[in-house]
Amino acid sequence: MTDNGAVEPVTAALRMHYDELIAFVRRRVRCSALADDIVQETYVRLASTDKSAEIENPRALLYRVAGNLAIDHLRREKTRAKYVMQKPLSEEVADAQPSVEAMIDARQRVAILMQAVDELPPRCREVFVLRKFEGRHQAEIARSLGISRNMVEKHLRKALLHCALRLKARD
């Protein structure tokens, strides 16, 4: 034995029994690709074990580890199946895109709102635009326009009421 210790017998056993080990795992998991992955994981796990340990029967150890990994995989799949729907999606899944009617309605509402904002008195419109379109805070608007915060609130109430009435008149 060299300084690889326990890895050499495992590697030799894997080379010698690779095809039968793959077939063993494939029968359990019923998938060739998954069987390949499990056998590879088996080797990785055994190669990373204590190098000083003496392995009496490397073939049996390969089968034990591969079998346990296959069982672990099947358990995870069983648990996952409880929570994940495996049925194909229905053809009648709602489209995430809004309907043409909804898009037209939204455009009309925006046009009405823009017209309503244009109808506001200049100072009221300025306060409304700064708050609703630029996202400024009321205190900041009051400071920048040289008016009280109370006046900012009055302008906002007036603007919101006007816009709401214009939209309501549409409906």
Side-chain angles (χ1 to χ4, degrees):
M1 234 187 302
T2 65
D3 55 336
N4 285 351
V7 178
E8 279 187 21
V10 169
T11 303
L14 183 63
R15 283 187 187 127
M16 190 179 309
H17 304 291
Y18 182 80
D19 291 334
E20 67 185 62
L21 187 61
I22 289 283
F24 167 77
V25 174
R26 188 182 313 122
R27 281 192 302 274
R28 290 189 173 212
V29 296
R30 302 188 192 290
C31 175
S32 294
L34 183 57
D36 290 341
D37 289 346
I38 288 174
V39 170
Q40 181 179 2
E41 177 67 19
T42 300
Y43 177 74
V44 168
R45 288 203 182 182
L46 290 174
S48 64
T49 59
D50 181 17
K51 308 287 190 251
S52 64
E54 183 78 24
I55 299 174
E56 290 182 29
N57 189 342
R59 180 176 179 262
L61 183 61
L62 282 170
Y63 272 82
R64 173 62 64 131
V65 172
N68 287 344
L69 288 172
I71 289 169
D72 289 346
H73 172 78
L74 294 172
R75 283 183 185 148
R76 278 191 308 273
E77 284 300 308
K78 187 176 179 182
T79 301
R80 189 178 73 80
K82 289 180 188 177
Y83 303 105
V84 177
M85 183 174 61
Q86 294 292 328
K87 298 177 192 172
L89 291 177
S90 169
E91 296 284 330
E92 299 174 15
V93 174
D95 188 4
Q97 295 277 333
S99 68
V100 173
E101 294 84 11
M103 289 174 33
I104 291 171
D105 184 56
R107 285 185 183 141
Q108 289 173 347
R109 291 173 63 86
V110 168
I112 290 169
L113 282 173
M114 295 307 290
Q115 183 180 355
V117 169
D118 287 341
E119 295 168 355
L120 293 170
R123 180 60 69 146
C124 185
R125 179 176 50 243
E126 187 176 13
V127 168
F128 183 76
V129 168
L130 288 172
R131 178 71 181 123
K132 295 298 180 182
F133 293 116
E134 294 184 19
R136 294 192 186 173
H137 295 284
Q138 292 179 8
E140 181 184 348
I141 295 169
R143 273 193 313 275
S144 69
L145 297 179
I147 59 176
S148 69
R149 187 170 177 177
N150 189 31
M151 199 63 197
V152 170
E153 290 173 5
K154 285 181 182 179
H155 284 306
L156 286 173
R157 277 195 301 275
K158 181 177 181 177
L160 289 171
L161 179 63
H162 179 71
C163 290
L165 289 173
R166 295 287 278 135
L167 281 174
K168 190 171 186 175
R170 173 194 175 264
D171 295 333

